Amino acid sequence: MSKTTKQVDEVVIRFAGDSGDGMQLTGGRFTETTAIVGNDLSTLPDFPAEIRAPAGSLAGVSAFQIKFSSKDIHTPGDKPDVLVAMNPAALKVHQKDIAPGGIIICNANAFTPKNLKFAGYETNPIEDKTLDDYYTLYSVEMGKMVALANEDLGLPPKTIERTKNFFALGLLFWIYDRPMEQTQDWLKVKFAKKPDIIEANIRAMDAGYNYGDTTEIFTTRYTVDKANLPSGEYRNVVGNHALSMGLAAAAERSKIGLFYGGYPITPASDILHTLSAWKHLGIKTFQAEDEIAGVTAAIGASFTGNLGVTATSGPGIALKCEAMGLAVIAELPLVVINVQRGGPSTGLPTKTEQSDLMQAMYGRNGEAPMPVLASSTPGDCFYVAYEACRIAVKYMTPVMLLTDGYLANGSEPWQLPKLEELPDFNVTFADESNLADGQFLAYARDEKTMARPWAIPGTKNLEHRIGGIEKEDLTGNVSYDPDNHHYMVETRAKKVDSIANEFGPTEVFGNPSGDVLILSWGGTKGACRSACEFLQADGKKVSHVHLRWINPLPKDLGEILIKFKHVLIPEINFGQLIKIIRSEFLVDAKGLNLVRGKPISSSDIQESVNALIG
Amino acid sequence: MTDAVKTYTKKDFTSDQAVRWCPGCGDYAILAQTQKVFPDLGVDKENFVFISGIGCSSRFPYYMDTYGFHTIHGRASAIASGVKLANPDLSVWVVTGDGDGLSIGGNHTIHLLRRNLDINVMLFNNRIYGLTKGQYSPTSEVGKITKSTPMGSLDTPFNPLTLALGAGATFVSRTIDKQTKHMQAMIMRSHGHKGTSFMEIYQNCNIFNDGAFAQLTDKETKSDTVLLLENGEPMLFGAEKQKGVRLDGNTPIVVEIGDKWGVDDVLVHDESDYVIASLLSNMTYQPDFPDPIGVLYAIEAETYEDRMVAQIDLAIEKKPSGSIQDILNSGDTWVVD
């Protein structure tokens, strides 16, 4: 029987299974191959907080979504065209999201009476025909087939059963016409000391590929052409990794040491892991006894001339607030990264949210302004990390960098940056030339940046004391003088405001005036841009502005906002940027606020815009 | 740091800031002894750093003409750790108190001790909260009547030295604000120890807890209430050294030197003996025993920063000429024409 090949522009696939089924790994391998094939792509891992929830339970379902395309795309997709469900619980959790007419590929061997009952099915959905009216269902005995493919290897049955995710991967490689060599090579490195495991997984993958190729069940293959990306060298990059590379790039360009103090917390821990593996770059990592020690050790390192960095997630930020205030008044460089997750309290540790913006802006006692910037895509994490470090040192201030769980674990194709093309990052420590009449003024300021000198211990004749009590202007001595306090509060605020002088004109995507301006910050950029492109193609007068900096805001933002009839601010919170925009510009902005632990979809935004235009 | 170290005087370590402790505070004596000893430590002045938290004692850095950082409550040890790791060549001193270092900052104190960074901790123990005007502290005796405990405090106090030993300290000592010569010697010993040195200083708060250590400092009583430790010497005390500490089985007892017991029957101090240090540390706040002062425990052990530097050196040796550009370019890459 002949097979047909169909060309499509874009595909969304979701791999879903039990936590122990290796779905993140399967998705990761599919992503790497898809990147090499040259598609544009965007991914969204979605996993439970429990390391191993009971096998087969709804709580234990782990998923990985990838959208890939021949076009420039900005999101991991709304509704999957294909759901790979490795067990009944995975089907139960994700079935409602599948695009109408979509494909479901199930591991039939996992649809046992016990698993069905665990997932809450009274009858078996892959046999009772309830799915047939809506979807194309492929029920494949993956467990059985990997057992047959590997029966002569002498491995324990459980070990062989675990290779079923590679069967699914091989099948998807066949359906979407992708090569298997990279994954074979990857297996050979990953399991270098376990040749039988390599063999079992390769056989499972081959079995899946051949199953698609030879059986008469799958009649159509799909091809997705290369995306038309700007020319250059690319790799696929995950947000937390990109961010770590940005910090390391800042350390290398500035030639000051990088000191990272942190405490394990989801979803920020990967930054600690990644930097800890780069000791050959001279990076110092310190797993502290708690979040407070993480940030305070970083402050100590900054006082001593290293670039102090700490990363955490919302609950950890709550613990670091007092220390950030110390860095504000001591006017020391410090980069604090918040990989936001669902809150409040422990909230949804593995899910994404944008609900810490107010905490970032105002979460300290006293008047304690901090520059706040946010990453917009996984690859952008590199550039904002570099920028946060540069600004922290240039202005002698702690900087808050916001990312989120979606950006941290999501990935995209990424053009390799060249270190020498990054903005200049020169650091000059104070020395005896800073003495004025033999006296060192620890709070004298640079005319342009208002930054105070960075005089580090070990420097002759610059011995001085700083601390958390209000400083006297110039000398930095303890001062309780009322007018001095007012002046210093004002000066610290002005210093942060002056960072806006660094920004170029704000980019408006679309016409500079119109019916609706979509205003975004952080990880919602992709969905907003997609929605805007769609609406513009539909003839709507809609434009998009994305903010990298929330404090300070770009100076030209107010003039941009008033040129639109409506301003829509989609956020994964209950309205935080919108409060700032309303109070700063007296603009009657409208919010789109969906707090579900997952990215806002492009279609949600389109609906909101259409509702505004009426 | 190969240049000859400059000759300093006490004045070189005295900052231009007016000292603002209450008149009669024990802190003055500690500051004076520190300023007196520092010229003799053989360290260039710019390489000293004082880090403190919050509390009366924590104002200390403002008065030392060295690098100093008066930080936030309880976190001095953590900040000092960052300082030391950023530049292991610095001589780093933490000044803290019984509230700052044992209550709000207790966690950082124990973790500093177990890591054994080469940092010198001076813990001023006045057994009260002074700066907040007189609440009981984690070293106050049970039943302490204060503003926050009008019917007496309920909690058993910490014994700082036992806590330090339990946390894995490699150097544990104690001195008293009024024993100025002894304090100088203890500061020298702290400085000489490579690793975290933990020095408890009994310090009188003459406003909120006056006389907390009077038994140990009054002329009439001090010879009977203080056991001055000397390494390798028998543990004798009393005006005529007529009393000693010996072991009865595993239990320390105080004996009179005379017909029944001779000097040879008395325990000999050994700074490297953890069991002896433990026994001594538990002789704190006990009515039937003298409070030991001196170095209870001192052993050599590798420091955290030496291990860290060794790991970095090894990593660089394995991958020399490292640039982040190599990492940027790593992984599966492809070219778009």
Side-chain angles (χ1 to χ4, degrees):
Chain A
M1 172 186 158
S2 69
K3 309 249 176 189
T4 56
T5 300
K6 207 169 149 186
Q7 190 166 329
V8 288
D9 284 342
E10 61 183 41
V11 180
V12 179
I13 301 175
R14 189 180 292 178
F15 297 91
D18 203 58
S19 298
D21 284 342
M23 290 297 97
Q24 301 305 321
L25 190 147
T26 311
R29 294 326 305 159
F30 193 87
T31 302
E32 290 297 330
T33 299
T34 295
I36 291 164
V37 168
N39 298 135
D40 195 6
L41 67 87
S42 176
T43 66
L44 174 65
D46 178 17
F47 44 85
E50 293 75 17
I51 301 300
R52 284 286 161 86
S57 67
L58 297 173
V61 174
S62 173
F64 184 100
Q65 182 162 312
I66 174 172
K67 178 177 178 178
F68 54 102
S69 175
S70 58
K71 294 181 176 158
D72 181 17
I73 55 167
H74 313 298
T75 77
D78 297 352
K79 293 180 176 300
D81 303 305
V82 180
L83 173 70
V84 177
M86 300 301 283
N87 69 2
L91 179 63
K92 184 91 175 181
V93 170
H94 295 289
Q95 183 201 320
K96 62 181 182 302
D97 295 341
I98 306 168
I103 294 170
I104 299 173
I105 300 171
C106 285
N107 173 22
N109 296 116
F111 284 67
T112 60
K114 186 185 161 206
N115 281 346
L116 288 164
K117 199 178 162 202
F118 217 179
Y121 282 114
E122 286 177 6
T123 58
N124 190 344
I126 61 175
E127 288 171 357
D128 65 12
K129 306 210 179 286
T130 49
L131 299 170
D132 292 8
D133 290 347
Y134 308 100
Y135 313 109
T136 306
L137 172 69
Y138 296 107
S139 174
V140 184
E141 292 187 295
M142 300 184 194
K144 187 177 162 190
M145 266 175 294
V146 296
L148 286 171
N150 289 312
E151 63 185 344
D152 59 329
L153 283 180
L155 287 165
K158 271 205 163 175
T159 305
I160 291 175
E161 204 263 344
R162 279 208 203 123
T163 64
K164 64 184 183 298
N165 59 330
F166 274 80
F167 182 96
L169 183 62
L171 179 55
L172 270 294
F173 278 155
W174 179 81
I175 298 175
Y176 291 101
D177 192 16
R178 350 240 86 192
M180 293 193 287
E181 287 77 15
Q182 284 79 15
T183 305
Q184 285 160 358
D185 293 346
W186 178 86
L187 278 166
K188 283 170 194 164
V189 174
K190 171 98 175 163
F191 297 109
K193 286 177 186 159
K194 295 177 180 168
D196 46 355
I197 300 289
I198 298 170
E199 180 64 20
N201 280 301
I202 288 178
R203 284 191 193 184
M205 185 163 66
D206 285 345
Y209 194 94
N210 294 336
Y211 184 83
D213 198 25
T214 55
T215 66
E216 298 191 349
I217 301 166
F218 294 91
T219 53
T220 311
R221 296 183 85 175
Y222 300 87
T223 57
V224 178
D225 279 351
K226 283 185 180 188
N228 190 19
L229 298 169
S231 62
E233 196 175 2
Y234 283 77
R235 62 179 284 184
N236 188 49
V237 78
V238 174
N240 269 347
H241 195 75
L243 191 145
S244 306
M245 290 191 287
L247 297 174
E252 190 166 326
R253 282 294 305 272
S254 64
K255 299 186 180 68
I256 55 174
L258 177 69
F259 179 93
Y260 179 91
Y263 186 78
I265 184 169
T266 302
S269 301
D270 277 342
I271 300 168
L272 171 63
H273 306 160
T274 305
L275 293 174
S276 298
W278 293 346
K279 289 188 172 54
H280 67 290
L281 300 179
I283 292 171
K284 293 172 181 172
T285 56
F286 179 62
Q287 183 176 316
E289 57 271 25
D290 58 28
E291 294 282 3
I292 297 171
V295 65
T296 47
I299 290 171
S302 280
F303 176 63
T304 314
N306 276 187
L307 177 56
V309 179
T310 189
T312 182
S313 190
I317 293 290
L319 291 165
K320 295 180 197 285
C321 289
E322 187 192 10
M324 286 188 262
L326 176 67
V328 168
I329 196 166
E331 300 192 44
L332 286 171
L334 174 74
V335 174
V336 180
I337 297 150
N338 181 354
V339 185
Q340 297 168 98
R341 66 190 215 188
S345 187
T346 305
L348 300 169
T350 59
K351 311 294 179 189
T352 198
E353 209 161 283
Q354 291 183 300
S355 48
D356 297 342
L357 180 60
M358 287 300 184
Q359 184 192 39
M361 291 287 293
Y362 310 117
R364 290 164 294 283
N365 60 303
E367 294 286 344
M370 262 171 78
V372 177
L373 79 170
S375 170
S376 59
T377 71
D380 188 45
C381 290
F382 174 84
Y383 294 99
V384 289
Y386 186 87
E387 187 71 350
C389 295
R390 194 180 67 80
I391 294 296
V393 170
K394 185 171 175 183
Y395 292 84
M396 292 291 281
T397 176
V399 173
M400 173 76 79
L401 165 54
L402 298 173
T403 75
D404 60 45
Y406 156 59
L407 297 172
N409 292 314
S411 67
E412 64 175 343
W414 189 56
Q415 197 171 0
L416 305 185
K418 289 195 175 57
L419 207 51
E420 67 274 12
E421 290 173 8
L422 296 170
D424 285 343
F425 193 163
N426 303 315
V427 181
T428 314
F429 293 119
D431 58 23
E432 286 179 292
S433 68
N434 287 68
L435 293 172
D437 297 330
Q439 198 191 358
F440 174 59
L441 298 172
Y443 279 73
R445 293 180 188 279
D446 181 89
E447 275 178 26
K448 250 179 150 175
T449 63
M450 300 173 75
R452 73 179 192 89
W454 196 3
I456 62 174
T459 313
K460 274 191 200 304
N461 294 325
L462 264 52
E463 293 88 353
H464 67 285
R465 277 67 52 195
I466 61 171
I469 300 182
E470 183 60 277
K471 329 308 306 165
E472 183 182 61
D473 181 34
L474 300 175
T475 66
N477 289 332
V478 169
S479 169
Y480 295 99
D481 180 81
D483 292 334
N484 177 74
H485 177 53
H486 183 90
Y487 175 79
M488 292 301 275
V489 167
E490 190 177 37
T491 301
R492 289 187 288 262
K494 275 187 186 166
K495 183 175 79 167
V496 171
D497 288 345
S498 75
I499 295 167
N501 295 332
E502 303 251 340
F503 312 159
T506 300
E507 183 212 337
V508 182
F509 179 76
N511 286 325
S513 62
D515 290 336
V516 180
L517 178 73
I518 305 170
L519 182 64
S520 63
W521 71 277
T524 48
K525 179 185 178 182
C528 291
R529 183 59 53 96
S530 289
C532 192
E533 284 173 353
F534 191 90
L535 292 159
Q536 285 173 356
D538 204 24
K540 306 278 166 62
K541 292 177 182 164
V542 180
S543 300
H544 176 213
V545 164
H546 181 80
L547 299 173
R548 168 179 274 190
W549 284 94
I550 296 102
N551 194 37
L553 288 165
K555 290 175 175 177
D556 58 357
L557 184 60
E559 292 157 34
I560 293 169
L561 296 176
I562 56 170
K563 294 198 176 106
F564 292 84
K565 284 183 195 155
H566 304 280
V567 175
L568 177 72
I569 305 182
E571 294 180 86
I572 313 175
N573 58 42
F574 255 37
Q576 299 197 6
L577 178 66
I578 195 171
K579 289 191 178 73
I580 297 167
I581 295 298
R582 283 178 173 176
S583 76
E584 287 291 318
F585 303 108
L586 295 175
V587 168
D588 183 22
K590 298 283 189 286
L592 167 60
N593 305 98
L594 295 167
V595 191
R596 303 172 299 184
K598 57 182 191 175
I600 290 182
S601 70
S602 165
S603 54
D604 289 331
I605 297 164
Q606 291 168 37
E607 276 173 34
S608 264
V609 170
N610 284 327
L612 275 178
I613 301 172
Chain B
M1 302 233 292
T2 49
D3 297 345
V5 172
K6 274 194 270 174
T7 312
Y8 297 110
T9 64
K10 184 179 175 186
K11 198 165 160 263
D12 290 310
F13 289 96
T14 307
S15 82
D16 60 354
Q17 297 297 291
V19 184
R20 295 188 190 175
W21 287 310
C22 308
C25 177
D27 290 357
Y28 283 95
I30 306 171
L31 177 64
Q33 301 328 310
T34 307
Q35 288 168 336
K36 205 164 185 177
V37 168
F38 263 50
D40 300 329
L41 295 185
V43 174
D44 285 327
K45 195 173 106 161
E46 64 271 17
N47 291 326
F48 284 115
V49 184
F50 273 84
I51 307 290
S52 64
I54 295 292
C56 295
S57 62
S58 290
R59 300 296 177 97
F60 198 95
Y62 289 124
Y63 311 133
M64 292 292 296
D65 193 18
T66 62
Y67 284 93
F69 196 177
H70 174 220
T71 69
I72 48 177
H73 206 9
R75 318 305 169 199
S77 294
I79 291 184
S81 298
V83 170
K84 187 71 185 178
L85 296 178
N87 183 357
D89 292 336
L90 298 171
S91 174
V92 182
W93 296 72
V94 166
V95 179
T96 183
D98 42 318
D100 189 61
L102 299 178
S103 198
I104 191 168
N107 197 30
H108 309 306
T109 301
I110 57 176
H111 287 277
L112 171 62
L113 291 169
R114 79 176 169 88
R115 290 192 185 108
N116 197 37
L117 275 85
D118 187 11
I119 289 174
N120 308 298
V121 179
M122 299 165 77
L123 185 132
F124 297 14
N125 182 8
N126 56 15
R127 307 189 72 182
I128 200 76
Y129 282 85
L131 194 71
T132 51
K133 301 185 180 170
Q135 299 83 6
Y136 80 109
S137 91
T139 55
S140 297
E141 61 278 17
V142 177
K144 184 86 175 170
I145 307 268
T146 70
K147 283 177 200 162
S148 61
T149 50
M151 293 174 70
S153 61
L154 303 171
D155 26 349
T156 305
F158 263 141
N159 175 336
L161 302 186
T162 308
L163 182 78
L165 286 167
T170 57
F171 180 97
V172 174
S173 74
R174 177 191 281 149
T175 188
I176 304 178
D177 56 4
K178 293 215 168 146
Q179 296 241 21
T180 53
K181 290 277 178 218
H182 185 259
M183 195 195 307
Q184 289 174 23
M186 289 300 103
I187 294 169
M188 297 284 261
R189 285 292 307 270
S190 276
H191 173 72
H193 178 71
K194 187 159 165 62
T196 309
S197 63
F198 184 82
M199 171 170 36
E200 180 188 23
I201 307 171
Y202 282 163
Q203 172 248 324
N204 190 43
C205 173
N206 58 324
I207 305 296
F208 295 109
N209 202 21
D210 196 24
F213 305 104
Q215 287 278 314
L216 311 182
T217 53
D218 285 356
K219 267 188 189 160
E220 299 74 40
T221 54
K222 68 179 184 185
S223 57
D224 289 325
T225 54
V226 174
L227 170 64
L228 178 64
L229 297 170
E230 298 279 1
N231 197 27
E233 296 295 324
M235 296 181 195
L236 297 170
F237 64 105
E240 310 292 329
K241 299 281 179 206
Q242 78 281 23
K243 293 192 239 181
V245 176
R246 64 168 273 113
L247 281 182
D248 179 16
N250 292 325
T251 312
I253 54 167
V254 170
V255 296
E256 292 281 336
I257 307 299
D259 297 342
K260 193 174 177 191
W261 306 107
V263 170
D264 291 349
D265 297 314
V266 169
L267 260 179
V268 172
H269 185 41
D270 178 356
E271 290 176 355
S272 67
D273 189 326
Y274 184 84
V275 176
I276 288 179
S278 229
L279 289 171
L280 286 168
S281 75
N282 283 316
M283 283 162 50
T284 299
Y285 315 145
Q286 303 286 331
D288 300 331
F289 288 95
D291 275 36
I293 67 168
V295 177
L296 279 78
Y297 190 56
I299 56 161
E300 281 182 29
E302 213 177 347
T303 64
Y304 183 98
E305 65 270 23
D306 281 354
R307 288 177 178 168
M308 182 191 74
V309 169
Q311 279 194 348
I312 291 173
D313 288 348
L314 181 65
I316 291 171
E317 192 186 307
K318 281 184 177 170
K319 269 192 212 173
S321 71
S323 166
I324 186 64
Q325 190 68 56
D326 304 334
I327 294 170
L328 287 167
N329 298 352
S330 68
D332 291 329
T333 60
W334 69 95
V335 174
V336 175
D337 298 321

